[in-house]
Amino acid sequence: MRTSLGSCFRSFITITYFIALLSIFQDLRCSIRGRIMSATPPEKRSSSESLASSPDGRTFSFQTVGDEHLDIGAIVSMRISGQCAVIGQIQQVSPSDDDAVSGAGKIIGKVIGENRLLMTPSERFSVAPLVAAGGPVIELLQTTSKATLKMGTFLNTDITARLMPEKFNRHTFWCGQSGSGKSYALGVALEELLINTSLPLVILDPNADFVRITESNTRPETGTLATFRKRRIRVLRPHRNNTNQVLRARFSTMSLRAKAAVLRLDPLVDRSEYNHLLHLENLIGGTEPGVIVDQLRGAGTEGADLLASRIENLRLADWDVWARTDTAASEIIRERPDATVLDLGGFDSPDEALVVVLSVLDDLWHARETRRPVLLIIDEAHNFCSTEQDSPLHRAVRERIIQIAAEGRKFGLWLLVSTQRPSRVDQSIMSQCDNLVLMKMSSSRDLEDLSATFGYVPPSMLARASLFRQGEAIVAGGFVPAPAFIKIRPRFTPEGGFDVRVPLRS
């Protein structure tokens, strides 16, 4: 009996002890909350209140009561002590029926004092006042991240939005549907890279969007534009004129694999012709077209005759793409100008453009051990990276791009892949991209693919892409301190391609 009474008494004492601890904790929380509220001006105290907490120092949740508007993507500040404020980004917002808004986000870092930002997780905190970060905090965030490429402004603000040039040493995926301003915005990025870095650019330009990059929209040319004009930019076009060099490839220096793709040869199906190709040198390029077939016919072998017939049937010797006495594109790129624009859209045969692309890709890959960095910009990448295109040349180009995406980064071969159709770009290329620029995209399938591939972008932010106006974008990944909505600035170089207007009657 005594044992039973003693046990009950000890249980009563234990319960009382925990109730007392809970009461102390609640009093402490109310005290902190009271101090927060006392710091709020009386006229605002009843209309607006935002409090946040973090269980792990990496994420936070918050609740707002009243008229304060905190949207997805907003950068916020949470002061946890007199000298320390935690900086975070809202990634989820859930309104309720009682005018309260709750949400969650990710912690970016913490500000110590007035101008020292540490890009690290914070300590845990149970309650802290939350406010929208002002321009100075956002500027500090970009300055600390060494973001210098001026792309425009953060959406609905006049705060300059910048990218980090050093992070273009990772592959970048750039997309937006037709009319979103994708190529125009890409032109802005190219301007900034040329001004702020010495990274050579190789631009595959199927629609002549960047062929006027050596011109300017502004007179007189002063300041930044004058600096830009000092850059060595080569524009190569299919047809010769007084202002450009011609875009050519040299067959004799192409790899055996590339030559076979041009000739549509399979090493097993076309054994005899392929074997003869193994022993040929300077088939096309340094030799006049009329002489090539004559030499093959004079060889007196079945393989040579078949190869000669193939060249004649495909009319390869008549293609304008062969360098002959001109300088090939790959030879110009080896000189490492600041930018080389390859205008791929003016050839009579689409395969001629693929020949140039393949020769350039192969040359860059074969020189990879030199580890001399190059940024390869592939505009309208669905024309080169789609599994739906299965000709020998398309396969050879796609496989080389896949190889560069998978292995090129450590050699300094970095990709910027731009497209209006993400679902048509090979997934093994998309999955290697650490940076993302997404402009207006209405296709639910494309948005689903992007969400599945780019897990570092909050789905709530990706979903906004269908509502964008022309020139608006999400930037995310390694080249920004946090995903952001931005408005692209005007270009100071003219756009090569533009929309054709509907003629109206007066």
Side-chain angles (χ1 to χ4, degrees):
M1 182 68 176
R2 289 181 180 177
T3 302
S4 178
L5 287 172
S7 177
C8 289
F9 181 76
R10 284 193 298 272
S11 297
F12 174 77
I13 293 298
T14 302
I15 293 171
T16 303
Y17 176 75
F18 279 108
I19 290 175
L21 284 179
L22 180 61
S23 177
I24 292 171
F25 174 78
Q26 289 176 334
D27 289 343
L28 180 61
R29 184 176 181 181
C30 289
S31 175
I32 294 173
R33 186 182 178 93
R35 287 198 296 271
I36 293 169
M37 292 299 293
S38 66
T40 305
E43 66 272 18
K44 295 185 178 180
R45 196 173 299 163
S46 60
S47 62
S48 177
E49 177 190 8
S50 299
L51 298 174
S53 63
S54 174
D56 55 10
R58 297 176 181 273
T59 60
F60 67 92
S61 58
F62 72 93
Q63 187 172 49
T64 297
V65 177
D67 56 4
E68 185 168 359
H69 180 66
L70 295 170
D71 200 3
I72 290 169
I75 303 298
V76 294
S77 175
M78 296 156 279
R79 185 159 294 280
I80 58 176
S81 71
Q83 292 296 314
C84 180
V86 174
I87 306 302
Q89 182 177 44
I90 294 176
Q91 298 183 342
Q92 180 182 347
V93 174
S94 303
S96 62
D97 296 333
D98 57 356
D99 292 333
V101 175
S102 61
K106 179 180 179 180
I107 289 175
I108 300 170
K110 53 186 178 182
V111 177
I112 309 298
E114 293 185 359
N115 56 8
R116 183 186 175 201
L117 175 61
L118 302 178
M119 305 288 282
T120 61
S122 78
E123 55 268 33
R124 296 177 295 173
F125 56 90
S126 58
V127 62
L130 179 146
V131 297
V137 171
I138 296 175
E139 188 62 33
L140 177 62
L141 187 61
Q142 295 191 104
T143 302
T144 303
S145 304
K146 299 180 180 179
T148 58
L149 307 185
K150 298 176 182 178
M151 292 298 298
T153 57
F154 290 100
L155 206 55
N156 301 320
T157 76
D158 58 359
I159 303 171
T160 300
R162 302 195 290 268
L163 302 180
M164 299 151 63
E166 294 179 354
K167 296 303 181 180
F168 276 87
N169 66 346
R170 299 293 189 269
H171 303 315
T172 301
F173 196 75
W174 197 292
C175 59
Q177 69 185 40
S178 178
S180 64
K182 169 183 63 67
S183 295
Y184 186 95
L186 180 53
V188 172
L190 300 184
E191 291 172 355
E192 290 293 324
L193 286 166
L194 285 166
I195 291 168
N196 292 281
T197 78
S198 57
L199 175 63
L201 312 179
V202 177
I203 305 162
L204 307 186
D205 186 9
N207 294 332
D209 284 319
F210 308 108
V211 295
R212 299 181 64 192
I213 198 168
T214 58
E215 305 173 29
S216 69
N217 288 325
T218 306
R219 294 289 188 273
E221 298 176 356
T222 58
T224 299
L225 186 54
T227 301
F228 178 83
R229 294 284 287 166
K230 295 178 183 178
R231 302 298 182 249
R232 294 185 305 127
I233 301 173
R234 311 287 286 273
V235 178
L236 312 183
R237 311 196 72 171
H239 303 295
R240 196 183 309 272
N241 61 37
N242 295 328
T243 61
N244 65 269
Q245 286 185 277
V246 288
L247 179 59
R248 297 291 184 260
R250 196 173 303 285
F251 188 90
S252 60
T253 60
M254 295 175 73
S255 67
L256 176 64
R257 170 178 165 274
K259 291 175 181 177
V262 172
L263 294 166
R264 306 183 191 180
L265 285 174
D266 185 280
L268 298 180
V269 176
D270 309 300
R271 292 186 296 274
S272 179
E273 292 172 81
Y274 193 90
N275 184 263
H276 199 82
L277 179 63
L278 285 172
H279 301 92
L280 285 179
E281 293 182 0
N282 301 320
L283 177 62
I284 299 177
T287 308
E288 286 297 321
V291 178
I292 298 167
V293 175
D294 291 340
Q295 289 178 341
L296 289 170
R297 296 292 188 198
T301 64
E302 181 184 9
D305 285 340
L306 290 172
L307 199 53
S309 296
R310 182 181 292 267
I311 292 170
E312 289 178 330
N313 293 343
L314 294 174
R315 302 185 67 84
L316 296 183
D318 297 333
W319 283 3
D320 292 330
V321 72
W322 306 123
R324 298 182 176 88
T325 59
D326 291 314
T327 306
S330 56
E331 295 162 1
I332 292 172
I333 291 169
R334 282 180 218 150
E335 299 171 4
R336 296 181 69 80
D338 293 305
T340 309
V341 181
L342 311 183
D343 175 14
L344 301 169
F347 288 110
D348 293 335
S349 167
D351 281 351
E352 292 182 82
L354 291 173
V355 166
V356 172
V357 172
L358 183 56
S359 67
V360 167
L361 293 175
D362 278 353
D363 197 70
L364 290 172
W365 179 252
H366 294 149
R368 67 190 181 280
E369 292 292 348
T370 63
R371 296 180 185 269
R372 303 179 72 188
V374 173
L375 180 62
L376 178 63
I377 296 98
I378 307 176
D379 197 22
E380 306 299 345
H382 50 276
N383 292 327
F384 308 108
C385 306
S386 174
T387 56
E388 298 174 6
Q389 297 160 321
D390 203 39
S391 73
L393 272 172
H394 274 115
R395 282 199 306 273
V397 167
R398 182 176 66 249
E399 288 168 3
R400 183 63 81 196
I401 295 173
I402 290 172
Q403 188 171 31
I404 292 173
E407 305 174 43
R409 185 187 62 78
K410 61 187 176 185
F411 297 110
L413 293 179
W414 306 320
L415 294 175
L416 192 159
V417 179
S418 176
T419 182
Q420 57 184 269
R421 293 296 308 278
S423 59
R424 290 184 58 193
V425 174
D426 192 288
Q427 181 63 30
S428 58
I429 298 171
M430 288 178 59
S431 63
Q432 297 295 327
C433 294
D434 291 336
N435 302 318
L436 174 68
V437 176
L438 171 61
M439 308 193 74
K440 183 178 177 64
M441 185 70 66
S442 298
S443 167
S444 58
R445 177 189 171 186
D446 284 331
L447 288 174
E448 288 171 3
D449 289 345
L450 291 169
S451 182
T453 302
F454 300 104
Y456 52 78
V457 190
S460 55
M461 294 186 72
L462 284 177
R464 296 286 181 90
S466 63
L467 305 175
F468 283 163
R469 298 183 177 91
Q470 188 179 60
E472 297 177 351
I474 298 170
V475 289
F479 61 7
V480 286
F485 298 118
I486 69 170
K487 172 70 175 177
I488 301 297
R489 69 161 173 81
R491 283 173 58 168
F492 51 75
T493 59
E495 186 178 16
F498 51 85
D499 290 340
V500 177
R501 296 180 181 275
V502 174
L504 302 177
R505 298 185 186 277
S506 58

